Amino acid sequence: MSLSEPQRGNVFLVAVVCLLVVGICAPFSGHDLQRGMQIAVGVCAVLYGLSVPRMERLLDRPTVVGLVLIVGLGLVSSVLAHQPLWAFAEVALFVSGGAVAVAFALLRRRGGEPLDRYLIMLVVLLCLIKSIQYVYAGTLAFISAEHTLDPDLLLSGFSNKRFYGQFQTFTLPLLALPLLIPTLSRSLRAAVFALLCVWWLIAIGGGTRGTWLGMGAAALVVALLGPWGRRWLGWQLAAVIVGLLLYWLVFTALADYLGIQVLNGASDRLTTSLSGRGPIWGQAWHMLVERPWLGFGPMHFADIANRTAAHPHQSILQWASEWGVPSALCVAVLAWRGGWATFGLLRERTLCSEPADLLRMCLFAALVGALVQSMVDGVIVMPNSQVWLALVVGWLMALHLWKTPETAELPLAWGAWKTLSVLAVGLLVFIAVRDVPHIQQAQQQYLDSHANLLQPRFWAQGVIAR
């Protein structure tokens, strides 16, 4: 018996929620499991997209042309790359992310405002589980007989605390949405605010400066969006102040009282150092200068071994050095057009208090924060961040209000997109089936010969240079 379209949407939603909960909240989670989660989400998105008979208007024609150019240039660059299969895998990740964004947009268009509530419930659930894990780990650390405490060890589910910080950059803006809804009861409002304060405590304790930078930029932009934007900013500032107070009470006052020395405190991160980014930024720049038109090939920063990372921690340099300057310009133009269109819509509806308008503002804040953080961090590289980036973009696409009349259907374009997305996720599944059975052995071999340091890119051991 075949499922109806709403039932297929529900199956897709439940599958994605389960994958996200396992990929983010499982104690054994990490980069490789999250990459597997991302591929599984991509498969679900493609299957859902294939079940949709008619493509609704999600993009305008210039955006479609820009995306075609980006994918086309990426394919040509991949053919000329040193390791074409890995280059094609990076293009496949880009296409898979697009399929996830389209699937979320179609799901929201068909499900309407109830889907917005499900999204916020998902964010609250994930943040609540991670907060409970953090508080539980902190309680065990304080009641143990140890005389030192490293707050970094309280973070679980991510291979690196910066990846945890990227997830917080996406969720901190969204977690404030319930506080803006006038009909929310006082008790629920207090509970959500308490969760937001703890979430900020974790962000402060984690010490990810990219998260602080991204949220600061998002706050400046949202403050320009009228009274509701300033109200959002007020709740965030209140939560930051409470989070700072909690951090001082727990990691300074209580730790001193119990005679526990705190290592890697948040104050130690208040520096302007590049934390080793200088050399990898330099490597990306030299790659860009050497091959400006098509780059070295997608993912091919990881094909030139260095002692720091398999990606340059800077999205513009990464894209330009790997895909080429023309492709990077296309990405930048599309990002600017989409962001400016959303900003203009938010300014037009600045006094609207409809839940969809408030959600659009929070999603835009999350997108701004993530894009700013990508200037100093690997937001466009890490699997969980790629999934959330696709989710935010897809939801914004669904909520966008078009000023021009809808154009005619383009069945050939929709068919070509379906074919491309199937090929993309097929390649990703092939790589996962090929690598996963031997992944631990390959990682251990790399650790034994490279100073016990993994450099994540596609997998946790992401260096593809041979």
Side-chain angles (χ1 to χ4, degrees), residues 346-415:
L346 287 167
R347 290 286 291 173
E348 287 178 10
R349 303 178 65 84
T350 185
L351 299 178
C352 295
S353 59
E354 293 296 322
D357 292 302
L358 298 177
L359 175 59
R360 185 187 294 111
M361 181 183 68
C362 294
L363 287 167
F364 185 63
L367 182 61
V368 170
L371 292 179
V372 171
Q373 186 172 358
S374 75
M375 297 297 104
V376 295
D377 215 341
V379 174
I380 66 169
V381 172
M382 297 306 123
N384 183 65
S385 300
Q386 290 175 335
V387 171
W388 278 90
L389 185 61
L391 188 156
V392 169
V393 170
W395 223 272
L396 281 172
M397 282 164 36
L399 294 174
H400 190 70
L401 301 177
W402 293 93
K403 297 180 180 179
T404 56
E406 186 169 349
T407 55
E409 256 189 282
L410 298 174
L412 289 179
W414 183 223

Side-chain angles (χ1 to χ4, degrees), residues 13-251:
L13 180 63
V14 171
V16 170
V17 169
C18 293
L19 289 168
L20 286 174
V21 171
V22 172
I24 295 172
C25 299
F28 51 84
S29 182
H31 185 94
D32 292 332
L33 178 63
Q34 289 174 356
R35 184 66 74 191
M37 174 270 290
Q38 179 191 18
I39 295 173
V41 170
V43 171
C44 293
V46 169
L47 291 176
Y48 178 63
L50 291 175
S51 71
V52 176
R54 176 181 176 273
M55 178 63 171
E56 299 181 15
R57 182 184 185 185
L58 297 174
L59 303 170
D60 59 6
R61 192 175 296 273
T63 302
V64 173
V65 172
L67 290 173
V68 170
L69 282 174
I70 291 168
V71 173
L73 289 170
L75 292 175
V76 174
S77 178
S78 298
V79 171
L80 301 176
H82 178 227
Q83 299 192 60
L85 183 60
W86 280 118
F88 283 125
E90 186 85 335
V91 177
L93 283 175
F94 177 75
V95 174
S96 174
V100 173
V102 167
F104 279 124
L106 294 174
L107 182 69
R108 170 56 177 83
R109 284 279 180 89
R110 283 156 170 73
E113 282 199 7
L115 267 296
D116 296 341
R117 293 193 290 272
Y118 294 150
L119 172 63
I120 297 304
M121 288 170 60
L122 172 63
V123 172
V124 170
L125 174 64
L126 292 174
C127 295
L128 179 61
I129 294 174
K130 298 306 296 180
S131 297
I132 291 173
Q133 290 177 339
Y134 186 86
V135 172
Y136 177 71
T139 302
L140 291 181
F142 272 100
I143 65 177
S144 68
E146 298 292 333
H147 296 291
T148 59
L149 171 63
D150 187 349
D152 291 354
L153 300 180
L154 306 181
L155 305 173
S156 62
F158 291 84
S159 305
N160 189 296
K161 66 178 183 179
R162 286 194 297 273
F163 311 159
Y164 199 123
Q166 293 169 17
F167 172 60
Q168 290 194 286
T169 304
F170 282 107
T171 50
L172 278 167
L174 294 170
L175 195 55
L177 176 62
L179 301 173
L180 303 177
I181 299 176
T183 57
L184 194 70
S185 67
R186 185 171 298 180
S187 58
L188 284 177
R189 195 187 305 272
V192 172
F193 180 69
L195 179 59
L196 182 61
C197 293
V198 174
W199 205 227
W200 266 111
L201 163 67
I202 298 173
I204 294 166
T208 303
R209 290 176 294 169
T211 296
W212 304 344
L213 177 65
M215 286 301 297
L220 291 175
V221 173
V222 172
L224 302 175
L225 297 177
W228 288 104
R230 291 189 287 273
R231 189 170 298 182
W232 177 93
L233 178 58
W235 281 114
Q236 294 287 357
L237 290 176
V240 170
I241 292 171
V242 176
L244 285 169
L245 178 60
L246 289 173
Y247 181 87
W248 179 83
L249 288 173
V250 173
F251 294 106

